[in-house]
Amino acid sequence: ISICRDLPNIEVITFSVNGISDLEPLSQCQNLSELYLRKNNIASLNELFYLKNLPRLRVLWLSENPCCGSDPHRYRMTVLRNLPSLQKLDNQAVTEEELSQALVDGEEITAPPARRSVENGCPEATESSAAESTTETESELLNFSLEETNKIREELGMKPVPRDKFSSFSPRETDCNRKKRNNILNAILLLMKELDTEGLEIVQQTVGRRLQAFQKKELQEE
């Protein structure tokens, strides 16, 4: 997620199921309008501090993070009090009544969370994270990754990835390797939006050569 510091013009970011715990790198994304962060390791709603000064943020999906807690009303009211420009939270439209109620029931966030020693990516396993990873099924991970990847591809004017192509990744991959691959894929797709025609043509040529090399290798192995 640290790559977002260098993408001030990015408009849509999808990082669901990626072990993310720190939203500070997003504070520089002034054009960000949609942010998808389901099923990560965001422990505190104080992370919203880094999103409060993003003037164009209209869609946020934050559900299934530890910060949501056991009280869904308090969680939603706190998010809306601090991000009153949202039009949709967790795939549910925001109403004027909710925004008014949030001023009463929501908690104002005025400072960032305390710094943590665990870095984003693949942190050391704890009892809770280990339990979550054992209950996370291959199907859930593929559904999240496919949906969010295709969202980015749609924004880039690219065709969606068919499920049969996407699910061809080896199910024997570890959670850490899968998250690393998804992070790299998302970063590449996000960066592509920053390229002009010449840059995209260079990427296309490089990808073509890379695919040819893989195909040649597969033929040799057969």
Side-chain angles (χ1 to χ4, degrees):
I1 192 174
S2 60
I3 194 174
C4 294
R5 294 192 182 96
D6 300 321
L7 298 172
N9 296 321
I10 198 68
E11 297 178 11
V12 178
I13 294 177
T14 64
F15 278 139
S16 293
V17 198
N18 270 300
I20 291 169
S21 59
D22 182 4
L23 302 186
E24 185 275 332
L26 301 178
S27 62
Q28 305 301 315
C29 303
Q30 292 295 299
N31 286 334
L32 187 62
S33 62
E34 298 182 30
L35 178 59
Y36 301 88
L37 293 168
R38 294 174 292 173
K39 284 198 173 184
N40 279 289
N41 295 331
I42 302 169
S44 171
L45 286 176
N46 281 13
E47 293 289 342
L48 296 176
F49 177 83
Y50 298 117
L51 307 181
K52 294 182 68 171
N53 293 320
L54 302 182
R56 300 186 179 182
L57 186 61
R58 297 293 181 268
V59 176
L60 175 64
W61 205 326
L62 192 61
S63 62
E64 298 178 88
N65 275 278
C67 65
C68 299
S70 58
D71 186 343
H73 177 75
R74 177 184 175 279
Y75 153 71
R76 189 171 177 87
M77 291 297 99
T78 296
V79 174
L80 294 182
R81 175 163 183 174
N82 291 277
L83 303 174
S85 295
L86 287 181
Q87 296 176 353
K88 185 177 288 188
L89 173 60
D90 297 339
N91 206 32
Q92 182 178 340
V94 176
T95 67
E96 291 295 332
E97 291 77 8
E98 283 184 310
L99 291 175
S100 298
Q101 191 64 36
L103 296 174
V104 178
D105 296 345
E107 179 182 345
E108 179 72 19
I109 295 172
T110 59
R115 291 292 92 199
R116 294 170 298 281
S117 59
V118 178
E119 295 291 332
N120 283 332
C122 294
E124 292 296 324
T126 62
E127 290 185 10
S128 60
S129 62
E132 289 171 2
S133 65
T134 56
T135 57
E136 185 74 83
T137 67
E138 184 73 20
S139 176
E140 286 178 312
L141 285 168
L142 287 172
N143 285 337
F144 276 121
S145 301
L146 178 61
E147 178 183 346
E148 311 263 285
T149 297
N150 281 339
K151 176 66 177 178
I152 298 177
R153 293 175 67 88
E154 179 184 351
E155 290 293 326
L156 294 170
M158 302 167 65
K159 293 181 179 179
V161 179
R163 181 174 177 79
D164 60 338
K165 296 287 186 181
F166 197 86
S167 60
S168 63
F169 293 120
S170 170
R172 292 188 294 274
E173 289 179 307
T174 64
D175 284 345
C176 187
N177 286 340
R178 187 188 298 109
K179 290 173 183 176
K180 180 179 179 181
R181 184 203 64 227
N182 288 342
N183 281 335
I184 294 172
L185 176 60
N186 283 330
I188 291 172
L189 292 174
L190 290 170
L191 285 169
M192 284 177 61
K193 195 169 184 179
E194 302 292 313
L195 297 177
D196 56 14
T197 302
E198 181 180 0
L200 289 172
E201 289 176 347
I202 293 174
V203 171
Q204 184 182 37
Q205 294 169 4
T206 303
V207 170
R209 290 194 295 268
R210 183 74 168 164
L211 286 173
Q212 289 177 358
F214 275 119
Q215 291 167 354
K216 183 178 180 180
K217 182 179 179 181
E218 289 175 356
L219 290 173
Q220 291 175 344
E221 291 176 349
E222 292 177 357

